[in-house]
Amino acid sequence: ALASASLQRYVLEQYSGFDRPLAQVPSQPIPLFFAYRSVAQMQAFSVEHFNHMVKEQLPAADFCGVAVTDINATRCTVSMTHQHANQNPFGSIYFAALAMAAELSTGAMVIRAVNTAPEAISMLVLNQNANFSKKARGTITFTCDQGGLIAAAIDETIQTREGVTLWLQGTGVDEDGDVVTVMNFEWTIKVKNP
């Protein structure tokens, strides 16, 4: 059995590779078992999945209102709204609360990529730095669109069997579209040796 054309297109858009446009992906029909497996994978790494993970495994981020709003193989957005739980004495969002949201915008994509890799891979944040340009008020949305770098790093660690480090950036903008902060996270990933 074959998957419907719309499901095939969705699967290809989500899983065709990080550096190939959809037009370069072969147009042969996808076997239905592949489509079902991919749908299960998509559900496992959906917005709902990550927000459940935040609630269960990152209670401080949940308490501060951090939420994944969109995620795919190349991009992740995370938002938080100024509230009592995440405020500082100056009437804006506390920098550490912003850091939780920024880190999740990079980390959710690393988690997604590591968990769909063909081999077991470890991941860890090594360093972090930030620049602030405006008070964080209202809803702040962090975006990381460096999924291609993550995919390349995973390929490299699998091929070389060595650890790979990469810097990923979460850029936070307010409701007016003004950049509030840019936060950088140095991740290390390494294929786990048997």
Side-chain angles (χ1 to χ4, degrees):
L2 299 176
S4 71
S6 61
L7 179 58
Q8 289 180 37
R9 183 167 178 79
Y10 184 75
V11 168
L12 288 172
E13 286 172 349
Q14 296 296 313
Y15 292 96
S16 63
F18 298 102
D19 56 353
R20 284 190 297 172
L22 187 57
Q24 294 178 3
V25 176
S27 60
Q28 295 104 10
I30 298 172
L32 194 54
F33 74 90
F34 175 79
Y36 283 143
R37 188 184 74 208
S38 296
V39 168
Q41 285 179 337
M42 285 182 259
Q43 290 170 343
F45 299 104
S46 66
V47 168
E48 293 79 14
H49 166 80
F50 280 103
N51 286 330
H52 179 73
M53 182 195 75
V54 168
K55 184 177 283 303
E56 295 296 319
Q57 297 177 13
L58 302 169
D62 183 51
F63 181 73
C64 288
V66 174
V68 175
T69 56
D70 188 36
I71 186 165
N72 60 42
T74 59
R75 185 172 194 222
C76 180
T77 57
V78 173
S79 67
M80 70 184 317
T81 300
H82 180 224
Q83 58 181 309
H84 181 74
N86 62 30
Q87 74 179 3
N88 63 26
F90 311 108
S92 58
I93 301 175
Y94 184 53
F95 84 95
L98 291 167
M100 288 189 288
E103 190 273 345
L104 186 59
S105 73
T106 66
M109 279 199 308
V110 175
I111 290 168
R112 187 179 195 270
V114 161
N115 282 291
T116 57
E119 295 189 47
I121 296 175
S122 63
M123 56 185 269
L124 183 68
V125 172
L126 290 177
N127 288 297
Q128 185 268 343
N129 65 53
N131 291 306
F132 299 90
S133 53
K134 185 178 177 183
K135 282 190 174 190
R137 293 188 171 130
T139 298
I140 307 301
T141 302
F142 284 91
T143 301
C144 178
D145 59 2
Q146 297 172 297
L149 289 176
I150 299 167
I154 286 176
D155 287 345
E156 183 179 340
T157 191
I158 289 172
Q159 290 174 7
T160 65
R161 314 308 282 181
E162 298 292 327
V164 176
T165 62
L166 67 154
W167 282 92
L168 298 176
Q169 186 173 86
T171 303
V173 298
D174 63 15
E175 294 162 299
D176 295 328
D178 296 332
V179 174
V180 172
T181 182
V182 175
M183 297 193 179
N184 302 293
F185 298 87
E186 184 181 21
W187 286 90
T188 180
I189 59 172
K190 186 177 189 298
V191 67
K192 293 180 181 179
N193 293 319

